Amino acid sequence: MTRRHLLHSASAGFGSLALSGLLGLEQARAAADPLAVRAPHFPARAKRVIFLFMHGGPSQVDTFDYKPLLKRDHGKPLPFARPKVVSSETFNLLQSPWAFKQYGQSGAWVSSLFPELSKCVDDICFVKSMYGSNSRHGGALLELHTGSDTFIRPAMGSWITYGLGTENSNMPGFLTICPTQSHGGANNFGSAFLPAPYAGTAIGSVGIPARDARIPFISNTETPRPIQRKEIDYSQKLNRQQLALTGPDRALEGRIESFELAFRMQAEAPELQDLGHESEATKKLYGLDNPITEDFGRQCLMARRFSEKGVRFVQVSHTYKWDQHERLKRDHAQNAAEVDIPIAGLLRDLKSRGLLEDTLVLWGGEFGRTPTAQGSDGRDHNPEAFTMWMAGGGVKPGLSYGATDDYGYYSVENKVHFHDLHATILHLLGLDHLKLTYRYAGRDFRLTDVHGHVVKGILA
């Protein structure tokens, strides 16, 4: 066979390779059925994610990052230069109002803010050396959720659903319960340039009690399902005819997919949102019997129910409560009281059902707080150091990874940026963050942009 003959006969194959390269393998696979289950790049440790978002920025030195020198040097000036923070002035070192103790076989330090969660530390991997790039809520929230603090990018849950699809074709792959409407709002759970089916579906919003949070318009008591099916089939026929005339239209394609998913959701979503079938013991485990914990407990219990039924990424938000520039002792205590029992209940429930092994639970806020005082009883924003933790899903249990300086102002040992966190979460789900790309505007984008390293030290 001559070289010319070989090139001629193989031209179709080369064309196929070129097309795959242009579209991207992930993009080409996702085009046929956006929410179909797709194989990971390599064997995964986690199948799903539950993100417990503490909006406002919990103080690391008052929760999980014990700093005895803060007590010793209370009231003294910080003995080194301060980073740039939001406010123009913070003052001297401020000791934590709460006592710390070591718990479990791991000996993890936890403050008295979390009496129930402290009993679960041997299932938790604390990352105490987190840092970000932005000291303001809006930019920091976007960076945590999307990997960028300056541009509109797809949310972490959207990337994960794009890479893996959903295990339940009757539900969205990405749900967010009572999400924030500030500091980026819907951009924190939007799909940006990814196709519309990968956007997060909001259940309720901030300010709406969890008991009233529902997927809207999920039930139609007026029109029988066979008639609904005929109506949708007719409208979809018109939509596809329009699509054939106009060519690729992301908005129209998104509407076609959303109509189909919405119809299927009627069969399953109402029952999943109904907590009436849960036992009284389970409701008590999540704190539904206590007015202080009932609201966040409902969110956590819904997250377990959705995850158990195959939803890939579920976020619950404690919004917007952790921003204590003043009244730290009063408000951090109230915040922790609202979430401590529900979070511990979620971990115990997942573990008892055998779900914790392949469910990754993530806890944290958009940044930490300064160890120096703002006013007499507050702490300012601090993106230079904070704590997040993970449990289940292939992370080492009972581990405290990384460290901050003696006062908790800077991460100094085994530093972990948001890009590294994202790369690690994708890795646990069997996704290579370098290969999970989407071609848009002439370039390949990814969650970690051009950054990020997998934090191998926390992998089980």
Side-chain angles (χ1 to χ4, degrees):
M1 181 181 293
T2 65
R3 178 175 177 272
R4 183 181 300 274
H5 187 204
L6 172 64
L7 290 173
H8 183 269
S9 62
S11 61
F14 288 140
S16 177
L17 289 173
L19 179 62
S20 295
L22 287 172
L23 294 179
L25 292 176
E26 303 288 347
Q27 200 163 335
R29 287 190 318 188
D33 186 353
L35 292 176
V37 174
R38 287 181 286 282
H41 298 145
F42 47 82
R45 299 297 303 273
K47 293 182 178 179
R48 63 198 74 86
V49 177
I50 297 176
F51 179 22
L52 308 171
F53 176 48
M54 306 291 110
H55 184 184
S59 169
Q60 71 282 2
V61 295
D62 295 302
T63 52
F64 306 113
D65 195 8
Y66 177 49
K67 296 298 174 185
L69 290 190
L70 269 185
K71 183 175 183 179
R72 188 196 73 181
D73 296 339
H74 173 69
K76 296 180 180 179
L78 185 73
F80 47 77
R82 303 173 186 180
K84 180 181 178 181
V85 292
V86 169
S87 299
S88 59
E89 184 67 41
T90 58
F91 300 97
N92 294 334
L93 293 165
L94 176 67
Q95 68 179 348
S96 177
W98 297 280
F100 278 76
K101 287 176 58 178
Q102 288 178 285
Y103 293 89
Q105 294 183 349
S106 62
W109 289 96
V110 181
S111 83
S112 57
L113 279 173
F114 291 104
E116 288 302 313
L117 191 60
S118 66
K119 302 171 185 177
C120 303
V121 293
D122 288 338
D123 292 317
I124 291 175
C125 175
F126 295 95
V127 181
K128 297 187 175 182
S129 52
M130 290 295 306
Y131 73 106
S133 307
N134 201 303
S135 63
R136 296 186 179 274
H137 291 290
L141 257 75
L142 288 172
E143 187 174 35
L144 166 61
H145 286 91
T146 75
S148 173
D149 62 349
T150 52
F151 299 103
I152 304 302
R153 295 287 185 262
M156 171 171 44
S158 297
W159 279 110
I160 290 169
T161 310
Y162 164 63
L164 297 174
T166 179
E167 294 182 310
N168 187 337
S169 62
N170 293 331
M171 292 293 295
F174 174 14
L175 292 172
T176 178
I177 305 171
C178 296
T180 179
Q181 293 179 332
S182 60
H183 302 138
N187 290 328
N188 291 299
F189 57 89
S191 61
F193 49 71
L194 287 178
Y198 303 118
T201 297
I203 301 177
S205 65
V206 60
I208 295 177
R211 72 170 69 90
D212 298 327
R214 294 285 187 274
I215 298 174
F217 313 117
I218 199 60
S219 298
N220 186 340
T221 58
E222 298 179 357
T223 308
R225 283 178 62 82
I227 302 300
Q228 292 181 48
R229 182 69 262 177
K230 290 182 179 180
E231 291 175 344
I232 290 175
D233 287 344
Y234 179 66
S235 65
Q236 296 293 62
K237 178 182 177 180
L238 297 178
N239 285 332
R240 292 190 175 96
Q241 287 175 349
Q242 179 67 17
L243 191 62
L245 291 174
T246 62
D249 182 333
R250 287 160 47 87
L252 181 54
E253 291 165 359
R255 284 195 293 273
I256 291 172
E257 293 293 337
S258 67
F259 279 132
E260 293 296 338
L261 177 58
F263 179 77
R264 297 195 302 269
M265 285 171 64
Q266 294 180 84
E268 195 155 352
E271 182 179 353
L272 280 180
Q273 293 181 110
D274 183 5
L275 306 185
H277 300 297
E278 297 288 345
S279 69
E280 292 304 314
T282 297
K283 293 177 184 177
K284 183 175 182 179
L285 179 67
Y286 283 83
L288 269 63
D289 61 335
N290 186 327
I292 295 175
T293 55
E294 185 262 344
D295 192 80
F296 195 72
R298 283 183 176 275
Q299 293 190 50
C300 289
L301 182 51
M302 280 195 287
R304 189 269 288 166
R305 289 172 64 84
F306 290 135
S307 296
E308 191 175 33
K309 291 298 184 179
V311 176
R312 188 71 68 182
F313 190 100
V314 183
Q315 178 167 330
V316 300
S317 297
H318 193 239
T319 305
Y320 152 54
K321 297 190 174 186
W322 292 87
D323 191 27
Q324 269 72 74
H325 294 273
E326 58 184 356
R327 295 189 290 272
L328 172 75
K329 185 175 181 179
R330 185 196 73 180
D331 292 348
H332 254 46
Q334 177 64 31
N335 295 337
E338 290 174 2
V339 305
D340 179 41
I341 289 174
I343 293 174
L346 173 65
L347 294 178
R348 290 166 177 151
D349 197 16
L350 289 172
K351 190 173 182 179
S352 70
R353 294 169 180 269
L355 290 170
L356 188 60
E357 183 177 347
D358 56 8
T359 302
L360 180 66
V361 180
L362 173 68
W363 178 96
E366 65 268 36
F367 41 52
R369 317 300 300 188
T370 60
T372 50
Q374 189 172 38
S376 61
D377 182 26
R379 302 190 190 276
D380 201 2
H381 304 173
N382 182 21
E384 304 292 338
F386 53 101
T387 296
M388 298 185 77
W389 59 255
M390 291 178 272
V395 297
K396 288 181 179 177
L399 175 69
S400 291
Y401 181 86
T404 57
D405 61 58
D406 289 340
Y407 299 100
Y409 219 134
Y410 292 90
S411 291
V412 295
E413 179 184 318
N414 294 324
K415 296 176 66 174
V416 178
H417 191 273
F418 281 133
H419 296 307
D420 306 318
L421 176 72
H422 292 153
T424 305
I425 291 171
L426 292 179
H427 179 86
L428 291 166
L429 291 160
L431 297 170
D432 184 339
H433 75 107
L434 300 176
K435 295 180 179 178
L436 184 65
T437 62
Y438 190 88
R439 180 155 286 265
Y440 172 72
R443 61 162 282 196
D444 289 335
F445 286 85
R446 66 181 203 233
L447 174 60
T448 52
D449 195 35
V450 295
H451 310 283
H453 296 89
V454 175
V455 185
K456 296 181 179 179
I458 70 172
L459 305 180

